[in-house]
Amino acid sequence: MAPSPSPSGAPLVPRLASAFAEVPVVASVIGTEPLRQFLTAPAKVCILASFTVGQLPKVVPALVRAGKTVFVNVDSSPGLAQDRGALDYIKSLGTHGVVSTRLSLIEKGRPLGLLTMMKVFVTDRSNLSRSLDAVSRGAPDLVEIMPAPIIGRMTARAQRAMSPSVAAGFVETPAVGGGAQGPGGGAGAPGGGRAPPAGRRRARRGGGGASPPAAGGGGAPGGGGGGPPPPPPTPASGICAATSCRRCRPPH
């Protein structure tokens, strides 16, 4: 298959740009426990995970009525097949976007009118190369990069090729993943504890550099040996726990 044009430096689609202009976070709503809090939270964009195929017809319309932009992680929705039928189904519920690690689903989502977010796990240089190829071919609206600290090890060229992006997992301080806020982490809480019910990620736009790597670290995946660390990014938006971050939890 011929690769699709790279999304390098691509702007956010208007719906997401507008939502992030109001509140630059996205809530990761995992299961029903944090759902009630998120319904009244100021954050406008969410990712639903761990909702069964039977729960989605109630949850998605309720969030849409509340003015939220809803992504469904089809890889983590019990009962949903990972095929075109699953995308047709979530689209029929009013879902705005799909999250998946699977290139085939990202490619199928756009013709259906769904926003697409490709999730990639960057663990080493060879994995980074495969991820860059998948992103180039799928041309998603957003790339979810895990774990967040790896962004500080990526070259500026790799960051541009995966932009606009969402940093996820181990987002513990403003310096990691572009400046997330609040305690806890998307993949694991600080100190290796369990993650909270709603994870947290940080989104970044365009070709801004990542936070500098920790002192004593190795070279950047995908190239980039010595030289000064890249400048810190200008955060565009982020993903936060709906119940743990003061920016997106409901007012008291």
Side-chain angles (χ1 to χ4, degrees), residues 62 66 83 98 101 111 210 214 224:
D83 57 17
V98 57
T101 60

Side-chain angles (χ1 to χ4, degrees), residues 2 8 12 19 39 87 126 146 158-159 164 214 218 220 225 250:
S8 173
L12 285 168
L39 278 168
L87 301 184
S126 61
M146 296 187 71
Q159 292 171 38

Side-chain angles (χ1 to χ4, degrees), residues 111-205:
L112 293 176
L114 289 167
L115 298 172
T116 56
M117 186 185 304
M118 177 176 279
K119 191 172 187 175
V120 299
F121 297 88
V122 181
T123 56
D124 55 33
R125 288 178 175 83
S126 61
N127 184 269
L128 175 62
S129 179
R130 290 192 296 271
S131 296
L132 288 168
D133 178 65
V135 168
S136 176
R137 294 167 63 185
D141 296 299
L142 283 172
V143 182
E144 183 178 347
I145 304 173
M146 296 187 71
I150 200 65
I151 292 178
R153 306 284 181 168
M154 291 168 57
T155 65
R157 181 178 180 180
Q159 292 171 38
R160 286 193 299 270
M162 289 196 184
S163 66
S165 64
V166 176
F170 296 101
V171 180
E172 300 169 0
T173 69
V176 178
Q181 308 202 3
R194 292 184 60 191
R200 172 186 64 215
R201 302 161 179 83
R202 187 79 193 173
R204 303 168 60 253
R205 189 181 357 232

Side-chain angles (χ1 to χ4, degrees), residues 61-83:
L63 290 172
V64 172
R65 287 193 298 270
K68 309 297 187 180
T69 295
V70 182
F71 284 81
V72 171
N73 186 333
V74 294
D75 299 343
S76 302
S77 298
L80 271 184
Q82 283 146 12
D83 57 17

